[in-house]
Amino acid sequence: MKPQDITAGKSSLWIFGYGSLVWKPDFRYKRSQVGYIQGYKRRFWHGDNFHRGNDELPGRVVTLIEDDDESTWGVAFEVSGSQMEESLKYLNVRETVRGGYITKMVDFFPEGEDQSPVQALVYIATSDNALYLGPASPEEIGAQIAVSRGKTGHNLEYLLRLAEFMRSSCPHVEDHHLFSIEAAALTVVSYLLAAQ
């Protein structure tokens, strides 16, 4: 989907974030709202050789995997006017060029009663992407995250900030995949610190 196709005839656009966008959007927006999308589960199955890792030791970041019985919580950002072009240009580099993500339009359901769903743009890394790593145990993923670092910072920071967002903004949601990887990564870090 090209940016001009996404914004054609629109005065505003919602962008759904479920990874680092929830705590580091780095673009101007009109407003944000916590909520969820249906039919997808968040998984640390995508490799990152730029932001949170490198070619020798890629980090692990989240993508969405289709699953009719699941939902993924995050934040949607409404951008309008010149913010639309600016945010899409920025996200194209951050998510598509450097991350290998593709875009899709999904229904976003804002948290709270009497809220109607809105169409939102989401970035998804698919299994045919060269950086896609696929499933692994929480222990394997946690160990990889504990020792990876990229140009944006430690992979562990990405994991911990995402877990903190879920605890503070979505305390009613149990994200077993996320929290089991967090526990595994922190165990590896404690061993590494003890070994020094």
Side-chain angles (χ1 to χ4, degrees):
M1 226 181 308
K2 295 178 181 168
Q4 60 268 30
D5 297 334
I6 296 167
T7 59
K10 294 182 178 157
S11 60
S12 69
L13 172 71
W14 286 91
I15 299 168
F16 179 69
Y18 57 92
S20 60
L21 286 182
V22 303
W23 52 271
K24 187 180 171 61
D26 280 347
F27 57 84
R28 292 184 314 120
Y29 55 90
K30 184 177 174 180
R31 61 185 169 137
S32 65
Q33 178 115 27
V34 171
Y36 64 93
I37 61 172
Q38 293 178 321
Y40 292 93
K41 58 188 176 186
R42 176 182 19 237
R43 292 293 181 261
F44 275 88
W45 290 1
H46 191 55
D48 185 333
N49 63 357
F50 185 84
H51 296 290
R52 300 292 173 170
N54 57 51
D55 290 333
E56 293 78 41
L57 196 59
R60 278 199 178 245
V61 292
V62 291
T63 187
L64 296 175
I65 305 298
E66 289 187 34
D67 186 330
D68 291 341
D69 298 326
E70 296 284 339
S71 60
T72 297
W73 284 79
V75 178
F77 302 91
E78 184 183 21
V79 292
S80 61
S82 64
Q83 293 173 345
M84 284 195 297
E85 185 179 338
E86 292 166 9
S87 61
L88 291 176
K89 186 176 179 183
Y90 168 73
L91 289 171
N92 182 56
V93 172
R94 174 176 164 171
E95 305 294 337
T96 307
V97 175
R98 292 184 179 148
Y101 288 73
I102 62 166
T103 54
K104 280 190 176 180
M105 295 301 290
V106 295
D107 286 329
F108 169 72
F109 297 85
E111 184 176 37
E113 295 180 26
D114 302 326
Q115 299 273 5
S116 297
V118 296
Q119 280 278 290
L121 179 71
V122 66
Y123 290 81
I124 299 174
T126 60
S127 59
D128 59 359
N129 183 315
L131 293 171
Y132 185 83
L133 299 175
S137 71
E139 293 74 23
E140 289 174 272
I141 295 172
Q144 189 172 353
I145 288 172
V147 298
S148 296
R149 179 189 177 104
K151 292 182 180 3
T152 306
H154 288 281
N155 203 178
L156 185 63
E157 176 195 27
Y158 177 101
L159 169 64
L160 297 178
R161 285 186 182 256
L162 182 55
E164 175 55 30
F165 162 79
M166 287 300 295
R167 285 192 184 92
S168 63
S169 298
C170 311
H172 56 289
V173 178
E174 177 57 38
D175 190 327
H176 179 72
H177 178 78
L178 171 63
F179 296 137
S180 63
I181 291 169
E182 178 192 35
L186 290 174
T187 299
V188 170
V189 169
S190 69
Y191 286 132
L192 292 173
L193 291 173
Q196 291 184 346

